Amino acid sequence: MDRVCDPKPDGYSLYPVAEVVQKPEIQRLAAYALIVQDQKILLCRLTALTGSAGMWTLPGGKVEFGEHPDNAVVREVLEETGLKVTNKGVLTVNSELFHFTGTRMHAVRLIYKVQVESGTLRYEQGGTTDVCEWFTPEEARKLPLVSLAKLGVRLVKEHGLIA
């Protein structure tokens, strides 16, 4: 291993220090839905395909290459929940850094307000979520939530989406 020398605090002698190695960096754009119906918010439980199995999140996910985020949120909600939704616009943009063992990830997440138009709630098979359920904000706060879901619960209150 190459060694780099830094001065000691006394400024006279040198001692070796390990070289800093830069981790690979990934940037991920995703679109998520804040879905409120009958005074409840829809959340999805993450599977082992993610690093957060058993935790709850908002429905949504990765924007595919060349896909517009406005379309991605509608597609992702249908894939994860079976619900057809209408996009009512972006509520906020969330930016968060994650540090994993071999890499760093910058997640840029658009959170949309959407309205359910049709469909029957069903669970995704073999994907990143396995259960979707409706919760009151009080019930949701008692669940193991990822940071995105915590933000969603907060936005429900801030935007007056639940009385």
Side-chain angles (χ1 to χ4, degrees):
M1 170 176 24
D2 292 334
R3 305 293 259 173
V4 177
C5 293
D6 282 342
K8 284 182 94 175
D10 63 14
Y12 293 105
S13 54
L14 300 175
Y15 62 97
V17 295
E19 185 175 337
V20 176
V21 177
Q22 184 78 9
K23 290 182 177 181
E25 297 174 337
I26 297 170
Q27 190 162 33
R28 181 178 185 265
L29 177 63
Y32 291 89
L34 190 56
I35 309 173
V36 175
Q37 189 170 282
D38 300 324
Q39 302 296 304
K40 294 185 176 183
I41 182 173
L42 185 62
L43 297 174
C44 300
R45 188 176 64 190
L46 295 164
T47 67
L49 294 177
T50 72
S52 302
M55 298 192 71
W56 293 83
T57 190
L58 298 176
K62 181 182 177 186
V63 176
E64 298 297 336
F65 182 81
E67 183 179 33
H68 195 287
D70 291 356
N71 298 328
V73 70
V74 172
R75 175 187 53 77
E76 282 284 346
V77 169
L78 182 61
E79 287 176 5
E80 290 185 356
T81 71
L83 301 175
K84 293 181 182 177
V85 297
T86 301
N87 179 345
K88 297 296 185 178
V90 175
L91 286 172
T92 193
V93 176
N94 172 258
S95 176
E96 193 169 352
L97 291 174
F98 295 93
H99 299 273
F100 302 110
T101 303
T103 190
R104 297 185 314 155
M105 183 178 75
H106 178 207
V108 179
R109 303 178 286 202
L110 290 81
I111 302 174
Y112 289 85
K113 178 181 176 185
V114 303
Q115 180 177 335
V116 176
E117 296 297 332
S118 64
T120 302
L121 187 63
R122 63 155 175 76
Y123 304 151
E124 182 178 26
Q125 300 295 311
T128 58
T129 64
D130 62 357
V131 174
C132 298
E133 298 287 340
W134 297 98
F135 297 98
T136 66
E138 294 75 26
E139 292 168 335
R141 286 186 194 96
K142 295 175 185 173
L143 297 170
L145 302 175
V146 296
S147 61
L148 180 68
K150 290 176 185 177
L151 174 60
V153 172
R154 192 180 86 223
L155 289 171
V156 165
K157 181 178 180 182
E158 288 177 3
H159 288 270
L161 302 176
I162 293 180

